[in-house]
Amino acid sequence: MENGHAKYRVAVIGSGNWGSVASRIIASNTAKLPSFYDEVRMWVFEELLPTGKKLSESINKANENCKYLPGIKLGANVIADPDLESAVKDANMLVFVTPHQFVEGICKKLVGKLRPGAEAISLIKGMEVKMEGPCMISKLIADTLGINCCVLMGANIANEASICCVVQIFLQSSEAKKISCCTFPMQIAVEKFSEATIGYRKDKEVATRWAKLFTTPYFLVSIAEDIEGVELCGTLKNIVAIAAGLVDGLDMGNNTKAAIMRIGLREMRAFSKLLFPSVRDNTFFESCGVADLITTCLGGRNRRVAEAFARNGGKRSFDDLEADMLQGQKLQGVSTAREVYEVLTYRGWQELFPMLSTVHEICIGQLPPTSIVEYSEHTPNLSIIGGPTPFY
């Protein structure tokens, strides 16, 4: 409290590509908005760089993340902290931006360590599948820590240029001529116009405060009272992006890719509404929906690695390609496809969602990459969730 007004301190939990960009955006706003303390603590999962230096020390000395966001200054008020408890101890606004498979472990370490009244927002795309059913990451955070958690999703590939790679090295020499370097623009990191959507459950005031923290002239943030819809859009689009990458790797052309994206969006909507009937159709027309799907299918890491997978005829595993191509970053689409497949299998929905099912079966080597279009011979009837029939 300062001069009778509440003041907020922000901590970012995660320091990968998107975590570093988020810290940069947030720090630029906390430095000039009187309702926030200037300093932004960014928790870093400590790594040793090839130089022998610790990643956190390198970030604090150079004011940039040389591994995950090279060449981009984060802001003098961003402090990298390898101690999780230290990073969050004074914060009352927590930004979660780690690979989704690590969230539960992180949250368990934070139980009882947070300030009273702390709020959270998740920038994480994925879900956990438990015995009782699927659990969205925002709910996992909220339930484990006993705090409110919003989500932020949208068409905002953080910085593809920082992990640019020559895909030829992963292919046989006879195939190398078919693909060139990945040279996607830095987008948000270099302040190119982008959008995002914040999903919230009931507290519009809190959602508006989060939007204020993230909004810049080049990064516009809207809010939507549909947390499940917003979060599922961000989660499921990574599976569709793998399908799009397979199409690219098989040289099937733009018409096929457009069809895959359309069918994928349909399955995203149907799956979301079956899980959560409260999900709103309008959400799929926000940045978190169709816009995020388009940008991820055109330029995301899931698409790129899936393309390499297809060009190798499925002979190199996604884990192998991830390790070679992403420099330590994680491929969310494969693990999400597995988790969604578990839900489909448990509920007997596999035939209703042929694309979502087929992507997982391709990822684990049960089907060849060419199966991504063969499933379309089977036309499911999804009239049970409303909308025009037939669904395809």
Side-chain angles (χ1 to χ4, degrees), residues 159-290:
N159 172 15
E160 290 293 341
S162 71
I163 54 173
C164 175
C165 60
V166 182
V167 182
Q168 289 100 312
I169 66 175
F170 306 117
L171 309 178
Q172 297 178 358
S173 59
S174 61
E175 296 293 320
K177 62 184 180 180
K178 294 183 179 180
I179 189 168
S180 59
C181 281
C182 302
T183 54
F184 298 110
M186 286 182 160
Q187 300 187 10
I188 301 173
V190 292
E191 304 186 2
K192 292 187 177 181
F193 178 74
S194 300
E195 295 181 314
T197 309
I198 287 176
Y200 69 98
R201 180 155 283 109
K202 291 181 180 178
D203 198 330
K204 186 175 181 179
E205 181 180 348
V206 170
T208 301
R209 183 159 58 246
W210 282 117
K212 184 178 181 181
L213 182 64
F214 279 95
T215 298
T216 72
Y218 60 88
F219 189 53
L220 300 188
V221 179
S222 60
I223 64 175
E225 192 176 357
D226 182 11
I227 189 168
E228 289 87 4
V230 172
E231 191 166 9
L232 276 165
C233 280
T235 297
L236 299 173
K237 56 93 180 185
N238 284 327
I239 305 176
V240 183
I242 289 180
L246 294 171
V247 168
D248 285 342
L250 295 167
D251 292 319
M252 290 182 171
N254 290 332
N255 290 340
T256 303
K257 187 171 181 178
I260 287 291
M261 291 166 65
R262 182 195 69 81
I263 294 168
L265 182 61
R266 290 280 191 155
E267 290 198 13
M268 286 170 56
R269 171 184 173 272
F271 182 79
S272 299
K273 291 177 79 68
L274 278 176
L275 277 185
F276 300 100
S278 63
V279 167
R280 301 175 179 179
D281 286 336
N282 286 347
T283 300
F284 294 88
F285 295 97
E286 297 289 345
S287 176
C288 62
V290 64

Side-chain angles (χ1 to χ4, degrees), residues 94-100 103-104 107 119-128 130 134-153 198-201 210 224 226-233 235 276:
L94 306 175
V95 180
F96 284 81
V97 56
T98 67
H100 77 274
V103 176
E104 187 170 18
C107 286
E119 298 274 350
I121 192 167
S122 170
L123 280 60
I124 300 166
K125 297 169 179 180
M127 66 169 66
E128 291 284 331
K130 301 180 178 295
C135 177
M136 303 310 298
I137 297 300
S138 63
K139 188 175 189 302
L140 176 63
I141 294 169
D143 290 352
T144 306
L145 298 176
I147 61 178
N148 180 56
C149 185
C150 298
V151 299
L152 182 146
M153 306 284 158
I198 287 176
Y200 69 98
R201 180 155 283 109
W210 282 117
D226 182 11
I227 189 168
E228 289 87 4
V230 172
E231 191 166 9
L232 276 165
C233 280
T235 297
F276 300 100

Side-chain angles (χ1 to χ4, degrees), residues 312-334:
N312 278 277
K315 295 176 182 177
R316 292 192 67 184
S317 71
F318 274 95
D319 285 343
D320 188 19
L321 291 166
E322 174 190 84
D324 279 346
M325 296 177 68
L326 299 187
Q327 299 182 7
Q329 297 194 83
K330 293 299 179 182
L331 196 65
Q332 297 299 306
V334 174

